[in-house]
Amino acid sequence: MGSNLEINYRVLYGKLFSGLLNQFGTNYVSEIEDAIQNSFLKSLKIWKQNNIPNNTENWLFIVARNDVLNQIKKQKENNNFFVEQVEDISSISNEVDLRLQTILFISNLENVSNQAKILFILKNIFGLSIAEISDSTLINQEAIYKGIKRTRNNIQIEYNDRVIDLNSISVNSISISIVEEILYAVFNIGFDSFSEKTENIVNKDLCLEAFALTKLLLNQYQANSTSNLLALFCFHIARIPAKTESGKLISFFNQNREKWNKELMSSGFHYLKKTENINKFYLEAIIISKYMTIAELTKNDWTDIVSLYEMMQKVSQSPIVKLNYCFCLSRIGKTEKALHILSEIEKELPKEHIYFSLVKAKLLKEINPKESDDLFISAMNKMNQKIRKEYLLNNEIKL
C-alpha cells in the first residue's frame, strides 16, 4: 500500500465512524468499530491486487455498513431494530463528513471526563491505535482501553434505543468550549508527538485534521474563542518546516526563521480576536506571536510573557501552563521561585513526567549541573524517539 493511501485511512476512519453512527445509532458502537477494522483489512487484501475502486471511501462505507448489518442479524436480540429499513436505503454512500458533528455529540455526553472523551475521539475520529494513543499521551494502554470502554458504555446508557441525527445535535457555548479543548488536545498531541513512529516529532496529519475541524467549527458557530484557537494553530503549523534540519531536532530559539511559513503567520494575526473575558487560547496565541516576532527577547519581553502566563493561570489550572510559567520565571532571574512552584506542580503530574523532568533539568543547569544531567539522562532513558535522545545528548547533557 502506498503511504498516501495509509495516510487517508486516518481521515477515512473518522468519516466512516461518524457516518455509521448516524445510520445505526448508539447501541452499536462496538459493532461499528469492528466493522471499520474489518473493511480496512478487506481493502488491504483486495486493493493489493491493483483492484482499487474509484471511490475508496464509498467502497469502505458499504463494506463496513454490510458488516454491521451482518453482526446485528447474528445477535438476534434486536427485535426493535429496523434492519430491512436500513437495507432499503437507496443512498448508501458516505459523502457528508460528520466528524465535527460526532465530536459535538461526544462533547455533550454527561458523566464522561474530558480525558475519556479525548481518548475515544483519538481512536474513533482520528483513527489512532491504542498503542499510538499511549505513545502520544503518555497514558498507559490499560487506562486508555478503560477510558474508551467507559465512554462507549456511557453513550449506550445515555442514548439507549434513541435514534440520533448528528446533524441536529444541540450546540451551546459550553459544548463549543469542550470541542475546542478536545481539538486543542488533539493538535498538541500531534504537534509534540512522543511516538517513536513519528521521526520528526510532529504528526502533521493529526495537526492538519485538528486544524481543518477547528476551521469548520469557526465557520459554523463564529465563536471568538474558536478564532483564537485557529490563530494559535496557524502560528504553530507555520514553524513545522523549521523544527527539524537534516534529521536533527532544532530548539525553538535556534530555528531558521526564514523557514517559517509567512502566510500562516499572517493568518494567525488575522484570526486573533481580543475578547472581553480572558481567553486561554487568545493569551497563548499572543505569547507565541511574541516569541515569533521578536528576534531577541529582552528581560522586559520575558517579564511581559511572565505576566501573560499569570493571567492565563486565572483561567487554566493546567500543570503544563504552570511548567511554561516556571521556565519564563527562570529567564528573568527568578529560578528559586520557579523551583518552588515546580515542587508544587510535581504533585499534580504522573510520576516521572517527561516534560516536567525536562523543565526542571533546564532550570537546574546553572544551579546544580550534576542533578540537571541526572534528570536529563533519566528522561532520555524513558524516550523511544531517536531524534529526541540525540538532541539531549548533543545539546543538554555534559558527559
Side-chain angles (χ1 to χ4, degrees):
M1 297 289 287
S3 60
N4 286 342
L5 209 47
E6 287 171 20
I7 289 167
N8 285 342
Y9 275 119
R10 301 279 189 204
V11 181
L12 288 170
Y13 195 108
K15 286 186 177 180
L16 293 173
F17 180 83
S18 301
L20 292 165
L21 180 70
N22 195 52
Q23 192 163 105
F24 288 97
T26 55
N27 283 349
Y28 298 97
V29 174
S30 294
E31 288 80 359
I32 288 167
E33 290 172 343
D34 290 344
I36 293 170
Q37 292 291 352
N38 291 340
S39 71
F40 284 174
L41 288 170
K42 195 172 280 189
S43 75
L44 285 168
K45 289 176 187 173
I46 295 171
W47 296 356
K48 255 183 190 173
Q49 300 155 11
N50 292 323
N51 292 325
I52 300 172
N54 291 329
N55 189 334
T56 54
E57 184 179 333
N58 204 34
W59 187 95
L60 286 163
F61 184 76
I62 292 166
V63 171
R65 174 185 168 278
N66 291 339
D67 191 304
V68 176
L69 283 168
N70 288 334
Q71 289 182 69
I72 293 169
K73 285 175 180 176
K74 283 176 187 172
Q75 287 171 13
K76 294 184 179 176
E77 62 183 28
N78 48 297
N79 298 329
N80 298 324
F81 191 79
F82 45 97
V83 173
E84 290 77 15
Q85 188 179 333
V86 174
E87 285 181 321
D88 287 341
I89 291 174
S90 55
S91 174
I92 54 172
S93 65
N94 191 38
E95 298 300 329
V96 180
D97 186 351
L98 294 171
R99 285 179 300 161
L100 179 60
Q101 288 91 324
T102 305
I103 295 172
L104 281 159
F105 166 70
I106 301 298
S107 77
N108 281 338
L109 290 173
E110 297 174 7
N111 306 317
V112 181
S113 70
N114 273 2
Q115 178 174 291
K117 290 173 184 176
I118 289 165
L119 297 175
F120 186 87
I121 285 164
L122 282 170
K123 180 184 180 295
N124 289 314
I125 302 299
F126 293 93
L128 269 65
S129 68
I130 302 297
E132 287 172 320
I133 296 171
S134 181
D135 284 341
S136 299
T137 59
L138 306 179
I139 299 169
N140 70 62
Q141 293 193 25
E142 188 183 345
I144 293 167
Y145 274 115
K146 285 179 180 174
I148 291 170
K149 187 180 179 183
R150 198 159 47 244
T151 305
R152 188 189 296 135
N153 291 343
N154 271 279
I155 290 171
Q156 291 172 341
I157 291 164
E158 204 170 315
Y159 287 85
N160 187 31
D161 284 335
R162 279 162 53 196
V163 175
I164 59 159
D165 178 5
L166 291 175
N167 284 307
S168 61
I169 297 295
S170 61
V171 176
N172 55 38
S173 59
I174 294 169
S175 55
I176 287 172
S177 175
I178 294 170
V179 172
E180 288 169 350
E181 286 294 341
I182 288 167
L183 292 172
Y184 174 73
V186 169
F187 183 92
N188 286 338
I189 287 164
F191 190 72
D192 205 12
S193 174
F194 280 82
S195 169
E196 57 190 300
K197 290 181 182 176
T198 314
E199 289 180 8
N200 64 350
I201 84 161
V202 178
N203 183 332
K204 202 170 177 181
D205 299 310
L206 207 55
C207 291
L208 293 177
E209 286 307 311
F211 176 87
L213 289 168
T214 304
K215 201 167 184 180
L216 199 57
L217 185 69
L218 177 62
N219 290 342
Q220 288 190 18
Y221 303 106
Q222 299 293 315
N224 277 348
S225 53
T226 311
S227 194
N228 287 323
L229 180 59
L230 203 56
L232 181 61
F233 289 173
C234 286
F235 291 132
H236 282 319
I237 295 170
R239 294 187 288 114
I240 289 176
K243 284 193 85 167
T244 56
E245 207 168 275
S246 304
K248 293 187 185 301
L249 178 60
I250 309 296
S251 70
F252 179 90
F253 297 105
N254 290 321
Q255 286 172 10
N256 180 354
R257 292 176 173 237
E258 292 302 311
K259 289 187 174 182
W260 290 351
N261 187 307
K262 304 297 186 290
E263 283 182 35
L264 276 168
M265 285 177 66
S266 179
S267 294
F269 286 109
H270 167 75
Y271 286 118
L272 203 54
K273 307 282 183 203
K274 192 165 186 180
T275 53
E276 287 181 21
N277 301 319
I278 297 174
N279 178 269
K280 178 178 82 171
F281 303 134
Y282 174 75
L283 292 171
E284 198 169 329
I286 288 289
I287 290 168
I288 193 64
S289 72
K290 276 184 174 288
Y291 283 145
M292 293 180 78
T293 52
I294 303 169
E296 283 289 334
L297 290 164
T298 64
K299 190 173 180 179
N300 284 340
D301 294 322
W302 282 110
T303 302
D304 289 343
I305 292 168
V306 164
S307 299
L308 287 165
Y309 271 117
E310 286 169 351
M311 288 172 70
M312 204 188 296
Q313 286 174 78
K314 292 175 183 176
V315 290
S316 172
Q317 296 307 306
S318 164
I320 303 302
V321 169
K322 293 176 189 173
L323 281 175
N324 291 335
Y325 172 60
C326 289
F327 173 77
C328 295
L329 279 174
S330 73
R331 307 298 282 213
I332 59 170
K334 295 188 177 180
T335 304
E336 291 296 338
K337 181 182 177 181
L339 287 168
H340 174 72
I341 296 168
L342 277 185
S343 65
E344 296 295 316
I345 300 170
E346 194 167 11
K347 300 165 192 170
E348 301 174 40
L349 291 163
K351 197 178 177 187
E352 298 181 326
H353 189 274
I354 288 177
Y355 187 48
F356 174 86
S357 300
L358 292 175
V359 172
K360 188 175 181 181
K362 194 82 174 168
L363 265 58
L364 286 169
K365 210 164 190 180
E366 300 297 322
I367 302 171
N368 190 334
K370 172 72 171 66
E371 191 181 346
S372 173
D373 270 4
D374 289 346
L375 270 172
F376 274 129
I377 290 166
S378 173
M380 184 182 71
N381 289 337
K382 293 186 191 75
M383 293 175 182
N384 294 321
Q385 279 172 311
K386 185 183 169 190
I387 191 169
R388 285 186 191 270
K389 290 184 176 223
E390 285 182 351
Y391 176 81
L392 291 181
L393 277 171
N394 295 333
N395 297 278
E396 301 292 1
I397 300 168
K398 293 174 183 174
L399 295 174

